[in-house]
Amino acid sequence: MAPMIPTPPPRLILGSTSRYRRELLMRLRVPFEVDSPRVDETPLAGEAPAALAERLALAKAHEVAARHADAVVIGSDQVADLDGTPIGKPGGHQRAVEQLRSMSGRTVVFQTALAVVRPATGFERLLRVPVAVRFRALGDAEIEAYLRAEQPYDCAGSAKSEGLGIALLDAIESDDPTALIGLPLIATAKLLREAGIDVLLRSPG
């Protein structure tokens, strides 16, 4: 009887252009590749922030998976939600000032959506991890000093909680501590296990 040849584990691909998500996924110490999804991120008319995040996360995963049918693909998206209004990446200084002024003294819910798909087996899961962030009452001098120091113009909501941006906040409420940075690792590890990749067994040790 011929010896059983073990089936190699599937490739893991992060469908993202975000360096923050790439750095977060590296914490799981599992080999992965990165492929940039070609997805139009324009919100639909009247689309709620949570729905937008979920739609884009799944669209990113599907778009990349269409080119890598043998892989497990992660897609993720985050939209800041201020009373039902989506707040995206500012892209520049003045827009960041306006965003932080609008969030001063208020609670913003960062809607982080995660999709994991494996075309070869038909596996597809989508979930969302909301993070409630309460901003302090911020003066213009504080806003200006923060933005000049950290220049978070590629971050939804104009603040990096993992850096100096933590000084802008009164509280963070979440069940998954990395969700605010852009990739909920507790949920990611869970969905990868379901898709056939156990990060503890795949890690180099």
Side-chain angles (χ1 to χ4, degrees):
M1 184 176 180
M4 294 288 291
I5 300 175
T7 302
R11 297 157 58 218
L12 176 61
I13 298 178
L14 175 63
S16 178
T17 59
S18 167
R19 62 185 177 93
Y20 305 109
R21 293 192 178 98
R22 184 168 63 250
E23 290 167 359
L24 284 169
L25 189 57
M26 287 174 65
R27 295 188 192 182
L28 298 183
R29 301 175 66 180
V30 60
F32 70 93
E33 305 163 44
V34 177
D35 193 355
S36 300
R38 303 157 192 168
V39 172
D40 182 356
E41 299 190 22
T42 304
L44 302 177
E47 189 171 30
L52 172 60
E54 291 181 354
R55 178 175 64 82
L56 292 180
L58 194 57
K60 291 174 183 179
H62 280 162
E63 200 283 329
V64 172
R67 298 193 297 276
H68 304 279
D70 62 329
V72 173
V73 179
I74 297 171
S76 186
D77 194 78
Q78 183 182 79
V79 180
D81 180 347
L82 180 60
D83 297 334
T85 299
I87 298 177
K89 300 171 185 177
H93 184 81
Q94 187 53 44
R95 180 61 183 146
V97 170
E98 293 168 1
Q99 285 188 354
L100 288 177
R101 281 176 177 167
S102 71
M103 296 185 295
S104 174
R106 302 173 72 182
T107 295
V108 179
V109 179
F110 286 78
Q111 305 283 3
T112 303
L114 171 70
V116 174
V117 301
R118 185 179 180 183
T121 65
F123 179 88
E124 177 178 308
R125 298 288 188 276
L126 173 67
L127 56 78
R128 177 171 44 85
V129 181
V131 181
V133 177
R134 190 166 71 247
F135 282 79
R136 296 190 299 106
L138 302 171
D140 284 350
E142 290 178 302
I143 290 173
E144 189 69 23
Y146 169 69
L147 292 177
R148 294 299 180 189
E150 201 150 60
Q151 301 182 22
Y153 306 135
D154 61 345
C155 298
S158 305
K160 294 181 182 180
S161 64
E162 68 275 25
L164 183 59
I166 201 73
L168 304 174
L169 311 179
D170 270 337
I172 297 173
E173 299 176 10
S174 175
D175 294 328
D176 203 331
T178 60
L180 185 56
I181 307 173
L183 187 67
L185 289 183
I186 293 174
T188 298
K190 174 181 182 293
L191 294 192
L192 289 181
R193 284 194 301 272
E194 294 178 4
I197 297 178
D198 189 316
V199 299
L200 290 177
L201 299 181
R202 287 283 301 276
S203 296

